[in-house]
Amino acid sequence: MSNISFEDFQIGDEIKRALQLLKYNTPTEVQREVIPQALENRDLVVKSKTGSGKTAAFAIPICERIEWEEKYPQALILTPTRELAVQVRDDVTNIGRFKRIKALAVYGKEPFSKQREELQQKTHVVVGTPGRVMDHIERESLNLEQLKYLIIDEADEMLNMGFIDEVEKIINQLPSNRVTMIFSATLPKDVENLCFKYMDTPTQIEIATTGITAETIEHQLIKVTQETKNAILKDLTIVENPDSCIIFCNTKEHVDQLYNELNESNYSCERLHGGLEQVDRFAVMDGFRMGNFRYLVATDVAARGIDVDNVSLIINYDVPMEKESYVHRTGRTGRAGNKGKAITLVTPYEEKYLKAIERYIGFEISIMETPNQEDILSNKAAFEEKVGGRRVVKNNKTARINKDIMKLHFSGGKKKKIRALDLVGTISNIPGVTSEDIGIITIKDNLSYVDILNGKGSLVLQAMEHTKIKGKKLKVSEAIK
Ligand code: ADP
Ligand code: MG
C-alpha cells in the first residue's frame, strides 16, 4: 500500500479542509494517479471500477485550478442522467465549498429560464446532460469562452448512439486549448479510440483490468421461471433482509408492476424510471439517500454513477441486455471500500444474456439455491420488523460540510443595485467576521443569498438587524432550505 496522502498534492488549504470534513483521509488509487496529472493539465482517459472515487479524482483538480474571479464557466462536466448531474454538482460544491466554487446543474425538464438566470451569475463549473447543455449554447445563455476543462463522465454511455451527436456538437463549440478528461468503469476499445479524436495525446490510466471485482461485491444468481419469479424475489428479500436494496428491471412497465406488488405487500419502497415527472424522480432519489425507504425499484436510469451510501443489496429482477449494464447496476453496492452483494434472477430465456455477461466480467456467477422454507420462517420476524421502516443513514457528507454554514436571505438584489462586493464589504465589517467567513453569494433581481461559514451565521444575522448595505436597510433572515 502506498502512504500518499492529500498533503502530497499541490492543492490549497481550502480544498484540503473540505476533504477533511468529507472524511476523505487518503486518496483512492484512481485519485493518486489522476490528481497530479490533471493538475498538470494533461488530457486523460481513465478507466477505474465503480465506486472507486472517480468524481473527486476530477473534482479536486478542477476546483484547485478554477480562478475564482473569472465570471464565465471554466469547467463543463457532461453526464448521462439528470440525477447524476445533480449528484456531481453536489460533489463539486462540497469539495469547492471553502473556495466558494459555484457549480450549477443544467438538465432538461426544468424551466430553461431559471437556469438561464442562474447562468448569468458567476458560475465556475457547469454540470449537465448533453441536450440541455446544447440548448444553452444555442440560445447563448452559456458562455464558453473561458472554458478550460471538459469532463465526460460515464464516457462510454455518452459516446454511445443516443448521445454521440449532441456530445460532438458541444465539443465543437469549445475552445481547442481546453483540457479533456474522460472517465468510466467500462470503456470498450472502440469508444476509447473515438475519444482520441477529441484529445491531445491523452494519458491512459487504467486501475483495474475490468470494471468489476469479485472482492468487494459478492455475485450470485438464482434460476427462476416467469411464474415463480415474484414469489422467489419476495422470499429472497426475507432471507437477505437488506438495510437498503435496489431492484433493477429492464423496462418501466416491469418497474411499475413490481413496485405495485411490493407496495401492496407493505414494503417500504419507491420507484424510479424515465416516465415519471422530474420532480418526483428527484424526490425519490433524495428520499433514498435520506433512508426514508429501503427498496428502490428502478430501470437503468439509476445504474450509472449514482452513489448512495450503504446500498447493501442489488437485485437484477431482469437480466440486463447489455453486459456493461451489469457492471454499472451491481456497482451501486460495494462502494468506497464497503462490501456488497448482487443477486440476479435468471429465467431460461435470459441464459444467453447471462453467458455474455460472464464472458465480459471474466468469471462465472455462482448459483445460489432458492430460499428454503426453514430459512424463510426463521427470518420472517426480523424481516417484518425492518421492511416497513426507514433506515438510519450514517454518512451524510453534505450535512457534515454544511453544518457550520448558514444561508442568509437578503431582501434586495440587482434592482437595488446590490453587488457581491457590497455584501462582502458590509458583512466582513461586522466585528468577529472576516471575508473568510463568507461563502457563495447569489444575487437575483429582488433578493440575494449569502452563505455564512464557520458557524458565524447567527452572529451576522443579529448584526444585520441594525446594519445598512449601501445605505439601504434590507430585511435579513435565514433562508429556507
Ligand atoms: P465512481 O465515480 O468511481 O463510481 P464516486 O466518485 O461516486 O465513485 O465515489 C464513490 C464513493 O467514495 C463516494 O461516496 C465518495 O464520496 C467516496 N470517496 C471518494 N473518494 C474518497 C476518499 N479519498 N476517501 C473516502 N471516500 C471517498
Ligand atoms: Mg462516477
Side-chain angles (χ1 to χ4, degrees), residues 161-179:
M161 286 179 321
F163 285 118
I164 179 80
D165 292 343
E166 249 152 4
V167 172
E168 278 204 323
K169 263 210 238 159
I170 294 170
I171 292 178
N172 289 334
Q173 302 293 319
L174 303 178
S176 58
N177 62 351
R178 64 166 196 276
V179 174

Side-chain angles (χ1 to χ4, degrees), residues 36 62 100 126 148 158 167 204-205 208 216-217 224 226 233 245 257 270 337 342 366 380 406 451 473:
I62 284 181
R100 294 189 282 140
V126 174
K148 309 220 165 40
M158 303 298 289
V167 172
Q204 281 165 275
I205 297 178
T216 45
I217 306 169
V224 300
Q226 214 52 53
L233 173 86
C245 172
Q257 282 160 15
E270 285 293 342
S366 57
K380 193 97 190 184
M406 189 190 281
D451 282 354
K473 185 81 192 62

Side-chain angles (χ1 to χ4, degrees), residues 15-59:
I15 290 175
K16 286 185 192 153
R17 195 171 136 215
L19 296 177
Q20 252 170 24
L21 278 175
L22 288 166
K23 297 220 163 84
Y24 290 5
N25 299 326
T26 48
T28 65
E29 208 176 339
V30 66
Q31 291 162 5
R32 289 202 296 271
E33 294 290 326
V34 169
I35 294 171
Q37 306 219 45
L39 286 171
E40 288 183 11
N41 287 338
R42 298 243 173 87
D43 279 3
L44 301 176
V45 175
V46 184
K47 184 171 171 183
S48 168
K49 72 184 175 83
T50 54
S52 60
K54 293 187 285 296
T55 319
F58 59 77

Side-chain angles (χ1 to χ4, degrees), residues 169-222:
K169 263 210 238 159
I170 294 170
I171 292 178
N172 289 334
Q173 302 293 319
L174 303 178
S176 58
N177 62 351
R178 64 166 196 276
V179 174
T180 306
M181 298 186 238
I182 74 157
F183 290 81
S184 188
T186 52
L187 215 46
K189 249 292 136 314
D190 53 332
V191 175
E192 213 171 316
N193 293 339
L194 182 64
C195 309
F196 296 162
K197 241 172 75 184
Y198 318 120
M199 305 178 97
D200 179 19
T201 49
T203 308
Q204 281 165 275
I205 297 178
E206 181 164 343
I207 303 300
T209 44
T210 61
I212 201 158
T213 50
E215 295 131 49
T216 45
I217 306 169
E218 190 187 336
H219 296 264
Q220 294 187 312
L221 66 85
I222 301 187

